[in-house]
């Protein structure tokens, strides 16, 4: 009668959403100031003032039928050109507007590129821990998700990666800055990855693609994020303005196919075909214009940095173990017992909503989204201390 797989996907509860819903109920019960909801990655810092001004300017100056009408499926020509120019200017990478496809955010970019690349029997490699929706996009395209472990700093373990990349591998998906760990891949690591992918592509006799999922590119703390197209030719960047401009609900991003990709034009045609098949008629027209004008602008990352510093210092001084995140707005903290789900349940008793790591493909950690108000961070500290002392009672 209908598709059971879709029913399952629709009914399957996302752990993150479940915690978020639980948090809403708790806020009603005990007051929102007493619940420390670190479950969801919704930007807490407003979009730069320029974004609001540009929206107003466009509404006041562009006739509504032009402003809100369809754009070409791949995007408004001016928006595609602005993105291509920005990539050339900012990263010194050659880029053509003909290879930029405007999308409804990184989720759409990923669904589109996996569908565009997939051929029967293909595998897509991800590095654990990974954004849980990768499984949905990869399996939705018909492919198999293959998971490679990372090292103790959550950086690529090239030996492990080498083991899982085979002739069946169509692409490796790389997310830096990373959700959920905050790790940022270095230029040296990208070089090593490029050498490995070149070697494996030569063995396969076909390119193995690098899909760079980059919604957090600008959210970094004292490091720069190397641009993958400058390291590996067969690279496709999936970008989103959700986090950099705090526009998560407006659904806007792009796919950029490197002009150095083998058969780049044909791959871009497949991107257009996948967008068509998936029903993405065009990306939101107003926000194509807004983002084209706002390229290079970023929400106030300083606010995330303050939250990160307060929380990281307090947690590590208390005795929690975690790597200092270099980017994004997540802390990935070792659970105080092996079962992260049980730990997350115990944290709830202290009104702390922490996402267990199992859905990210690793066990024994929790993710803390510190894109919350400074007040929430500060009020949560005693709860983190009480939780720690529950596991490590102080001897009198
Ligand atoms: N990729 C990663 C790693 C993410 O964390 C997210 C959102 O949290 C996405 C993709 C999807 O982003 P978007 O809101 O642009 O669809």
């Amino acid at each position: 009668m209908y598709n059971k797989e879709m029913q399952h996907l629709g009914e399957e509860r996302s752990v993150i959403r479940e915690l978020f819903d639980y948090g809403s109920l708790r806020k009603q019960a005990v007051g929102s100031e007493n619940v420390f909801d670190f479950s969801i990655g919704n930007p807490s810092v407003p979009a730069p003032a320029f974004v609001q001004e540009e929206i107003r300017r466009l509404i006041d100056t562009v006739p509504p039928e032009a402003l809100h009408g369809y754009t070409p499926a791949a995007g408004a020509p001016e928006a595609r050109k602005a993105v291509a120019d920005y990539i050339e200017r900012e990263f010194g990478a050659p880029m053509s507007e003909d290879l930029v496809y405007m999308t409804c955010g990184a989720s759409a970019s990923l669904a589109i590129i996996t569908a565009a690349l997939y051929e029967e029997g293909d595998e897509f490699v991800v590095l654990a821990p990974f954004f849980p929706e990768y499984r949905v996009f990869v399996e939705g395209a018909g492919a198999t998700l293959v998971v490679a472990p990372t090292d103790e700093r959550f950086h690529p373990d090239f030996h492990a990666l080498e083991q899982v990349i085979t002739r069946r591998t169509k692409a490796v998906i790389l997310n830096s800055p990373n959700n959920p760990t905050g790790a940022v891949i270095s230029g040296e690591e990208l070089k090593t990855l490029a050498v490995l992918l070149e070697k494996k592509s030569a063995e396969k006799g076909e390119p193995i693609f690098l899909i760079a999922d980059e919604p957090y590119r600008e959210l970094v703390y004292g490091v720069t994020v190397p641009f993958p197209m400058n390291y590996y030719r067969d690279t496709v960047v999936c970008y989103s303005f959700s986090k950099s401009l705090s526009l998560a609900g407006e659904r806007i991003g792009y796919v950029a196919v490197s002009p150095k990709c083998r058969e780049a034009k044909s791959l871009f045609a497949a991107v257009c075909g996948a967008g068509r098949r998936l029903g993405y008629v065009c990306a939101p027209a107003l926000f194509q214009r807004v983002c084209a004008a706002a390229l290079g602008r970023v929400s106030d990352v300083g606010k995330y940095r303050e939250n990160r510093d307060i929380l990281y210092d307090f947690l590590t001084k208390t005795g929690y173990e975690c790597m200092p995140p270099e980017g994004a707005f997540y802390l990935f903290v070792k659970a105080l017992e092996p079962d992260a789900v049980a730990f997350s349940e115990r944290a709830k008793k202290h009104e702390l909503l922490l996402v267990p790591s199992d859905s990210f493909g690793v066990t024994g950690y929790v993710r803390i989204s510190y894109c919350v108000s400074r007040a929430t961070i500060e009020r949560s500290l005693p709860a983190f201390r009480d939780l720690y002392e529950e596991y490590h009672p102080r001897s009198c």
Side-chain angles (χ1 to χ4, degrees), residues 104-107 110 131 134 175 179 213 215-216 240 242-243 251 330:
C104 302
S107 301
L110 290 159
F131 179 52
Y134 289 162
N175 170 222
N179 172 10
D213 176 27
Y216 303 96
S240 163
S242 291
K243 319 284 176 167
R251 314 309 305 137
Y330 307 104

Side-chain angles (χ1 to χ4, degrees), residues 141-272:
T144 303
L145 188 89
V146 173
V147 180
T150 49
D151 68 15
E152 64 293 342
R153 295 170 52 241
F154 305 115
H155 280 244
D157 172 340
F158 290 105
H159 180 69
L161 201 51
E162 174 144 29
Q163 306 304 306
V164 300
I165 301 177
T166 68
R167 285 167 195 275
R168 288 188 299 279
T169 307
K170 179 50 69 74
V172 173
I173 303 177
L174 188 71
N175 170 222
S176 167
N178 185 269
N179 172 10
T181 67
V184 174
I185 195 163
S186 69
E188 279 309 306
E189 287 171 314
L190 268 183
K191 268 189 209 160
T192 310
L193 180 61
V195 170
L196 176 62
L197 291 179
E198 288 292 0
K199 183 180 120 187
K200 291 286 185 174
S201 299
E203 282 168 18
K204 183 180 176 184
E206 273 180 34
I208 294 175
F209 292 89
L210 177 61
I211 298 173
D213 176 27
E214 306 207 317
Y216 303 96
R217 163 163 283 280
E218 295 82 6
L219 305 191
V220 282
Y221 314 107
V223 295
T224 47
V225 185
F227 193 59
M229 283 185 193
N230 288 334
Y231 292 81
Y232 184 63
R233 61 188 286 193
D234 293 303
T235 295
V236 178
V237 168
C238 293
Y239 184 82
S240 163
F241 297 93
S242 291
K243 319 284 176 167
S244 59
L245 290 179
S246 306
L247 291 177
E250 302 301 351
R251 314 309 305 137
I252 183 80
Y254 59 79
V255 171
V257 173
S258 171
K260 295 185 206 157
C261 270
R262 278 160 273 200
E263 300 184 31
K265 274 192 179 161
S266 307
L267 173 55
F268 188 77
V271 165
C272 297

Side-chain angles (χ1 to χ4, degrees), residues 291-323:
C291 291
L295 282 160
R297 294 178 192 260
V298 187
S299 301
D300 184 358
V301 180
K303 291 264 187 304
Y304 296 133
R305 184 197 274 264
E306 282 170 18
N307 287 355
R308 177 195 82 140
D309 291 349
I310 296 170
L311 207 47
Y312 176 78
D313 287 350
F314 183 85
L315 292 181
T316 49
K317 276 186 192 131
T318 303
Y320 288 94
E321 283 177 52
C322 80
M323 297 300 299

